[in-house]
Amino acid sequence: MKTDKIAYIYISACILLFISMTTLGQKIYIDENTSYWYNTTSDLHIDHNLFVDENTIHLLLEINFNNQKIYDNYHYSYELHESYHTLDIKSTDTIDIQEHIVAIKANKIFVQLSLPYEDKIDIAIMRLTDKKTGIDYVYDIPLIKNYNFSSEGLVFYEQDSITPHLQNFAGINQRLMLKSINPYPGPVYCFYYNHNFDEAVPPMVIESQRAGRQLNIDSLFSVSINEPISFSKEGLYFFQKDSSSANGIAIRIQDKYFPLAKTFDAVLDPLIYISTRSETEKIRSASNPRQAFEEYWIDMVKIPNLATSTVRQYYDRVAAANYLFTTFEEGWKSDMGLVYIVYGPPNDVYKSEEIIDWVYNQDLSMPNIRFSFYKVKNVFTDYHYTLLRKKSYDKNWFKSVELWRDGKK
């Protein structure tokens, strides 16, 4: 077993970046606005686990209902398409959701589906239609094998062994269980990385030579299928059936409050997006950091009540970014997390295989702006996107940061 086999994984320059500038002019199949998936107050939120074998799409879904919605408020169907760029539906059917529910927890249902698969299918669409309003919620699941590494059928479950754990993060000392969709006797190898990933840089900072630091394996151990596991250290854990491959499933372990920011570091670190490094270091090194943090906001915003509401709004954004975008790194550190914290949920979202476009509509304080995120193939997640940075973002970005610092966001 080679302990350096995954050392290349995080270095974005060494991972295939699926960017084709010609795709900017291609038709995007998901041509309706799907911004609701990026708003934590919308009616629905979905997470999933995917495993594709020769002729079956094995799909686990966690569907989270907000605003007093319940699963019976919706019609459910699926569509299988050849690509994002064609309307040709290869297969479609309605879903009797009650037949596929494997667990219910609070306002969430967990659904297990087996859909037919063939080589020319590149995208699965889950369509949830509100029975009262007729509004469709379209959730796309890319199936392009060359764009993703396989989970090899590994899935995390809660300790009860019934409820899937489909979020990419868990709390320290939280007990989970690893299962396999396809029969597998074990063992499963786990690589642990105690690595502090860098925060994202502003969207106008173009650093072509920048690459992630070496990702070293801190420990290696094995676990058994269907046996409880607990994690005593924060960091990144990557599980594999075959340690010589690049396939597997990852989970990030954080403090017990995550995705909320409640520890000192979790509160102070994301402040870098609207502050200078000297400002955050001054708070960190103060004899009373909590008092220095409060004084920082009051001195900056000037009005105490406004400073309090601005702090609350900022860290609501941080928590939402952690919830929505955490993969191998904390969500606030990702490119999407960066934009989300400073600008908020996008007004419009459009997708293709390679690109997710976020559009923020013009208002009295800011003009229209569009951010394009490009898919990067990453062994830890199927959803690693990097921002296409442009120097022309500078004025808009500085204006947005200024609004935060004035308490006007």
Side-chain angles (χ1 to χ4, degrees), residues 45-52 57-64 84 109-113 124 126 139-143 148 151 154-156 164-168 181 249-250 351 375 381-383 385:
H45 180 77
I46 297 180
D47 286 307
H48 77 272
N49 175 283
L50 173 71
F51 174 59
V52 181
I57 301 167
H58 303 275
L59 193 59
L60 275 169
L61 297 171
E62 175 193 305
I63 309 177
N64 193 340
Y84 280 79
I109 63 171
F110 298 85
V111 176
Q112 186 168 7
L113 299 173
M126 300 303 303
Y139 184 74
D140 64 299
I141 303 168
L143 304 174
N148 303 312
S151 70
L154 292 173
V155 185
F156 287 107
H165 183 96
L166 302 186
Q167 294 176 331
N168 296 317
I181 291 173
I249 187 171
K351 296 183 179 181
K375 185 175 176 65
T381 176
D382 289 346
Y383 289 89
Y385 287 84

Side-chain angles (χ1 to χ4, degrees), residues 122 149 224 235 404 406:
D122 280 351
F149 292 102
S224 299
W404 273 112
D406 291 340

Side-chain angles (χ1 to χ4, degrees), residues 20-129:
S20 171
M21 297 308 293
T22 60
T23 60
L24 288 172
Q26 291 180 352
K27 175 179 174 59
I28 297 176
Y29 172 70
I30 308 297
D31 57 356
E32 62 180 281
N33 179 12
T34 59
S35 60
Y36 37 79
W37 300 128
Y38 299 90
N39 191 331
T40 55
T41 64
S42 64
D43 289 343
L44 295 169
H45 180 77
I46 297 180
D47 286 307
H48 77 272
N49 175 283
L50 173 71
F51 174 59
V52 181
D53 60 21
E54 291 183 359
N55 53 25
T56 305
I57 301 167
H58 303 275
L59 193 59
L60 275 169
L61 297 171
E62 175 193 305
I63 309 177
N64 193 340
F65 299 91
N66 299 317
N67 306 323
Q68 298 183 328
K69 296 284 187 176
I70 59 174
Y71 72 86
D72 201 38
N73 291 147
Y74 298 89
H75 292 292
Y76 301 80
S77 62
Y78 76 85
E79 302 165 10
L80 302 178
H81 292 259
E82 185 173 333
S83 78
Y84 280 79
H85 308 301
T86 177
L87 297 178
D88 183 22
I89 299 176
K90 295 293 184 180
S91 176
T92 183
D93 204 352
T94 57
I95 300 170
D96 185 344
I97 205 68
Q98 286 186 319
E99 292 184 359
H100 299 279
I101 294 175
V102 295
I104 299 177
K105 185 177 181 181
N107 59 336
K108 300 177 182 179
I109 63 171
F110 298 85
V111 176
Q112 186 168 7
L113 299 173
S114 297
L115 308 179
Y117 176 73
E118 58 184 73
D119 285 340
K120 293 184 178 180
I121 294 173
D122 280 351
I123 176 176
I125 298 288
M126 300 303 303
R127 190 176 295 273
L128 287 70
T129 305

Side-chain angles (χ1 to χ4, degrees), residues 202-204 273-274 313-314 317 335-347 358-361 363 365-371 373 387 392-401 403-404 409:
M204 65 285 185
Y273 290 154
I274 60 168
Q313 183 182 6
Y314 191 79
R317 295 265 185 94
D335 281 355
M336 285 185 170
L338 163 79
V339 174
Y340 192 97
I341 289 169
V342 174
Y343 287 88
N347 298 114
W358 288 9
V359 179
Y360 291 89
N361 296 335
D363 60 26
S365 59
M366 298 292 291
N368 254 35
I369 190 167
R370 176 185 293 260
F371 295 100
F373 301 91
L387 175 65
S392 58
Y393 285 138
D394 58 353
K395 291 182 180 179
N396 192 291
W397 177 262
F398 289 131
K399 176 63 175 176
S400 295
V401 170
L403 290 173
W404 273 112
K409 281 301 270 186

